[in-house]
Structures are given as structure tokens and as C-alpha cells.
Amino acid sequence: MRSQSSPDKQNNPQRTWLDAWYGGSRWTLWLLPLNWLFVLLAGLRRFMILRYQQKTLPTPVIVVGNISVGGTGKTPLIIALVRWLKQNGYTPGVISRGYGGKAPVYPYLLRPDSTASEAGDEPLAIFQQTNVSVVVGADRIASGKLLEDQGCDILLSDDGLQHYRLGRDIEIAVVDGLRGLGNGWRLPVGPLREPATRLKTVDWVVVNSPSENFELKSLDRASFFYVPMSIRPVELIELQTGKAIAPSTLPKRVNAVAGIGNPQRFCNTLQDMGFDPALHSFPDHHSFASEDLVFPNSLPVIMTEKDAVKCRDFAQANWFYLSVCAELPESFWSAFSQKLERVIGHKKSRSLLK
């Protein structure tokens, strides 16, 4: 099976850095002086925020994030958490930065007619798949308060692990099971926003599609709460009509479009489904235009659901997206339920004492 990247996308700066951090290149070691400066400033910033600026909301806050740059699979996990919460009687809401979008006002509460250019691709995908309140904005405290006004009793903060100004009750870090933590260095020498030891302090480390011998550099697996997560393809959806189609109705050779942090993962999924994809990778959160998807063949185009929300307005008849879902072991859901009940009980006790 073959995969190939579009030649005009291979030289984008984002991909150059990710390939260096996760591919074993050593030229980034020349940036060690900047690394030391980053570590110093990041540590000072964290101390100042935790000491003087962090605010805790009355509603329980669950942060889902990562310590590395590049996609890890946060969005499918957030959707799985939202669906579990709804099934168990909660009214969850989602806070997001809304990267790639420019809303008319912040904090911005998504509506049925919201677009990716306003809200960002990931928040819109979460909103469309879960039908819960989603708010985007740089001020996560203001976003959380707006969700509380909407009647939400659980708040999920998307990619908020380093946004310490918003207090949190549960932390979940997501790690890519294929790429791990890359070369293990902090920015800009490596992809880490925080040291690997940060994973010891979160409630769970969810590893997306880990291999059998998965391990994290400098960390003993016993030193953190490890949870494997698998991403299962659900169905192929035609962009123009919204109808599900059987994969067997398409030819094996297809164009695979992915504007995500790890495009190869999407390509691997299509291969597992029996396709022979020609991978056309774009920068994460790429703002697609119709000319981006003009290829020298008439093969069907299959893209991620996150990318599809930005391409519906100019979709062609042979364009499809793959919907996926995250699957986690029952032991995680049991532990998550128990932890959440303790958090809610603690919040109620504190409110009674005030």
C-alpha cells in the first residue's frame, strides 16, 4: 500500500518542525539556548498564574490537553466524554480557544449556523457531533461562566492543560501512541510544552492507539495512570448529501486529505479499511479553499471530519469524510465516574461552607 504527500505541502514550516521533533533530526539542538529561555519563562509564567491569577469556578472543570505540539487525538476523546456525560444525566459544555476562527464577539457561543471561519474547525466538529453548548474564546474563565449561564453542570476545557488561569478539578493528558513525546526535549528543541514529568501529576494519561511495546522516554509506565484509547472508523459520509455509504462502493485507490497534527494516522486508518490512499497532508487547522483539493485524477476524496466542516460549501460529488469514535476500556469509565462523583461532592461541600 502506498501513501504520498502533496509536493506543494511538503515544505510547509509546521511540517518541517514536526518532522524534526518526531523524526530524530538533530539540527534542533542548535536551539538549546532558546530552549533554556523557554523553560525559564514558562516556569515563571506558571508560578505567577497559579499564585496570583488562577480562578476556580463553581462548576466542575475537566481539562483535556497534551504536553506536546502536534495532534494527539483530543477531539475524539472530548466527544466520547461529552457523550458519556449526557448518557449519565449531566449537561456538559465545552470550552475551546477556537484556533483558526475569528468570531464576531468573544466569548462566542456556537449556533447551528456557525461556521468554521468563526468558531474554528475542532469546536464546530464537537458542536455538530454532540449538540451541546460550545463556547470559544481566549478567556476561558469568561467562556466557562457563559456555559454556566446556559445551564451546564460539567465543563470540559479543550486543549487547556497549560491554561492555568482556569482552575481544574480533573486533568486528562492525551499522548499520540505512534509518536510518543518525540525527542523528549522542550520547545523549540523538541515538541514538549511542559516536561514529561508533568504526566505524573494528571489524573489520566490517555494514549491514542499505542503499540504493544509503547513507552515514554524518561518515564516508567507505573509512574502515571495509563489508559489506552483506540480510534474506530464508524462510517463514510458524503459531504454534499450527508448520506452514509459503504466503503466497498468506492475504488481502493483514493485521495486522502488531512489537515491535522498527524496526517499519517489518518492514512493508516484508511489502509486498515482496505483503501490504497494517496495522502495529501496540510497544516493543522488549514483553511481550505476549493483549489487546494484539485488533484490530477478523478479519484474519490476522503477527508477527516474536522476538515469536512471547512469544505462543505464547495464540496464535490465524490468527496467524503470518515467519522470516527474513541473507545476506552470500561475500567476508565468506572474510575472516571467515581472521580467525578467525588469532585461534585467536594464542590457542594465547599459551596455550603461559604
Side-chain angles (χ1 to χ4, degrees):
M1 302 239 178
R2 299 166 294 168
S3 68
Q4 63 185 42
S5 297
S6 300
D8 58 332
K9 306 298 182 297
Q10 289 177 341
N11 296 322
N12 76 74
Q14 183 185 83
R15 185 58 49 194
T16 298
W17 283 102
L18 291 175
D19 289 345
W21 291 332
Y22 292 105
S25 298
R26 300 183 63 84
W27 62 263
T28 60
L29 292 174
W30 288 99
L31 302 173
L32 272 173
L34 291 177
N35 167 265
W36 299 328
L37 179 61
F38 172 83
V39 170
L40 176 64
L41 294 178
L44 180 62
R45 172 185 175 275
R46 184 175 186 268
F47 171 80
M48 295 297 291
I49 292 176
L50 290 176
R51 184 71 179 270
Y52 300 109
Q53 299 179 29
Q54 189 176 73
K55 182 175 179 59
T56 301
L57 296 176
T59 304
V61 173
I62 302 169
V63 166
V64 179
N66 56 26
I67 64 168
S68 58
V69 174
T72 55
K74 296 187 306 298
T75 300
L77 175 59
I78 288 173
I79 291 171
L81 289 168
V82 167
R83 288 173 174 166
W84 184 93
L85 289 166
K86 290 179 67 177
Q87 290 170 3
N88 285 272
Y90 297 101
T91 305
V94 178
I95 301 167
S96 178
R97 177 63 180 85
Y99 185 83
K102 189 175 181 180
V105 63
Y106 289 106
Y108 177 65
L109 178 67
L110 271 66
R111 307 183 306 266
D113 61 346
S114 294
T115 64
S117 61
E118 293 173 329
D121 48 16
E122 290 173 351
L124 184 59
I126 293 170
F127 177 72
Q128 292 180 347
Q129 292 184 56
T130 64
N131 196 33
V132 299
S133 297
V134 178
V135 174
V136 300
D139 187 342
R140 291 177 183 255
I141 295 174
S143 296
K145 289 180 178 178
L146 180 54
L147 286 174
E148 289 178 327
D149 292 341
Q150 302 302 309
C152 296
D153 53 19
I154 303 289
L155 308 182
L156 293 98
S157 181
D158 176 22
D159 198 21
L161 210 58
Q162 289 80 39
H163 293 266
Y164 288 105
R165 186 166 168 263
L166 175 63
R168 66 284 312 268
D169 303 285
I170 296 175
E171 289 186 325
I172 303 175
V174 188
V175 174
D176 188 322
L178 293 178
R179 303 188 301 187
L181 301 180
N183 60 19
W185 285 90
R186 303 278 295 276
L187 290 167
V189 177
L192 300 189
R193 300 165 173 168
E194 296 186 278
T197 53
R198 175 72 168 90
L199 297 179
K200 296 181 180 181
T201 68
V202 303
D203 294 281
W204 291 281
V205 177
V206 173
V207 182
N208 183 3
S209 306
S211 59
E212 291 185 7
N213 58 348
F214 173 80
E215 61 179 2
L216 293 176
K217 289 184 178 180
S218 74
L219 283 183
D220 181 358
R221 185 181 291 188
S223 66
F224 58 90
F225 292 96
Y226 167 89
V227 179
M229 177 179 73
S230 61
I231 302 296
R232 180 175 63 84
V234 177
E235 55 188 0
L236 283 173
I237 308 294
E238 189 175 27
L239 260 70
Q240 282 190 342
T241 65
K243 294 180 179 179
I245 64 133
S248 58
T249 61
L250 298 181
K252 284 195 171 184
R253 188 65 174 164
V254 296
N255 291 304
V257 171
I260 57 177
N262 186 0
Q264 188 58 46
R265 180 180 292 282
F266 179 63
C267 184
N268 294 346
T269 299
L270 293 178
Q271 289 176 341
D272 292 341
M273 295 174 64
F275 289 108
D276 180 14
L279 176 60
H280 306 275
S281 61
F282 293 78
D284 197 10
H285 304 289
H286 179 69
S287 181
F288 284 93
S290 57
E291 55 267 25
D292 291 327
L293 304 182
V294 176
F295 305 119
N297 58 59
S298 58
L299 295 173
V301 172
I302 302 178
M303 63 185 66
T304 70
E305 192 159 5
K306 187 178 84 167
D307 296 322
V309 300
K310 295 176 285 189
C311 299
R312 283 197 174 93
D313 290 343
F314 50 86
Q316 303 298 311
N318 64 339
W319 291 7
F320 308 86
Y321 71 84
L322 179 65
S323 66
V324 300
C325 70
E327 294 186 340
L328 296 104
E330 187 57 38
S331 58
F332 166 76
W333 294 116
S334 177
F336 177 74
S337 177
Q338 294 174 21
K339 173 72 174 181
L340 186 58
E341 288 176 4
R342 291 196 298 270
V343 166
I344 293 173
H346 179 67
K347 290 273 189 179
K348 289 181 177 178
S349 298
R350 290 188 62 182
S351 65
L352 292 175
L353 294 173
K354 290 183 178 180

